[in-house]
Amino acid sequence: MDSISRAPAAQLASNPAAGSSNDGEVAETVAENPAAVPKRPISNSDAGVETAEEAVEPADPDINELCTDMFGKMAIFLQGELTGICEDYRLLENMNKLTSLKYMEMKDISVNISRNLQDLNNKYASLQPYLDQINQIEEQVSSLEQAAYKLDAYSKKLEARFKKLEKR
């Protein structure tokens, strides 16, 4: 920064013809505050390109400490965030594994139920002729029962006639 701010002052001091009545004021301003002087680019006579050096100020040790502290705390914060996210993903992975196991158990149960249902259907199919025979016997018993009721009614009528004839 010194090289930039000193160059115009050096030019003003070496070139009294270029200045005006304000030259004394500019020199006083340069002496008091070198940054307040208007900066003129230094011209390079051989290429016509203006060059300047970047002003680099050494950082305060407090700023370095604060930056180091900030980056350390930011690293701790980000580490905590990432740790939390990793734990969430582990939990989600465990939940998915447990869910998968439950679905596998449910699949096994449903396969067993399906197999048992198939066995029951086969047993029912093998018993179907016997069930048909039972239904046929039931129908015959019903018709036999009807015939017994009719026979009972007829025998009562016959008994009543017989008693009637006997009384005469």
Side-chain angles (χ1 to χ4, degrees):
M1 186 163 176
D2 291 342
S3 64
I4 294 175
S5 62
R6 287 184 189 160
Q11 286 177 344
L12 284 176
S14 65
N15 192 359
S20 63
S21 62
N22 292 337
D23 284 347
E25 293 173 9
V26 171
E28 288 176 10
T29 307
V30 170
E32 293 172 7
N33 188 1
V37 176
K39 297 180 180 146
R40 297 180 197 157
I42 300 171
S43 62
N44 192 350
S45 60
D46 57 335
V49 177
E50 297 178 4
T51 59
E53 292 181 19
E54 182 179 346
V56 178
E57 293 183 22
D60 284 342
D62 292 338
I63 293 176
N64 284 339
E65 276 183 38
L66 292 173
C67 286
T68 304
D69 187 43
M70 180 197 65
F71 284 122
K73 288 180 179 179
M74 184 63 75
I76 291 169
F77 170 75
L78 291 175
Q79 187 68 33
E81 287 290 315
L82 291 175
T83 301
I85 290 170
C86 286
E87 290 298 320
D88 288 345
Y89 278 117
R90 281 190 196 110
L91 176 65
L92 187 60
E93 183 180 8
N94 289 338
M95 288 172 60
N96 283 339
K97 286 178 182 177
L98 287 174
T99 303
S100 176
L101 289 174
K102 285 291 183 184
Y103 276 114
M104 293 296 281
E105 289 174 8
M106 290 171 62
K107 179 187 155 236
D108 292 342
I109 291 170
S110 65
V111 166
N112 287 336
I113 289 172
S114 175
R115 189 179 310 124
N116 290 339
L117 182 64
Q118 187 67 31
D119 290 345
L120 284 175
N121 285 337
N122 290 338
K123 287 178 183 178
Y124 182 77
S126 67
L127 291 176
Q128 189 63 42
Y130 299 113
L131 294 173
D132 291 340
Q133 285 179 356
I134 290 172
N135 288 338
Q136 203 174 28
I137 291 171
E138 185 181 359
E139 289 173 5
Q140 289 174 355
V141 166
S142 293
S143 65
L144 188 58
E145 186 180 10
Q146 291 298 325
Y149 284 132
K150 287 180 183 176
L151 185 60
D152 187 46
Y154 180 71
S155 67
K156 285 182 183 179
K157 282 184 190 178
L158 206 64
E159 183 181 351
R161 269 191 199 169
F162 180 71
K163 286 185 181 182
K164 200 182 206 185
L165 285 175
E166 210 175 59
K167 282 186 185 180
R168 275 195 214 173

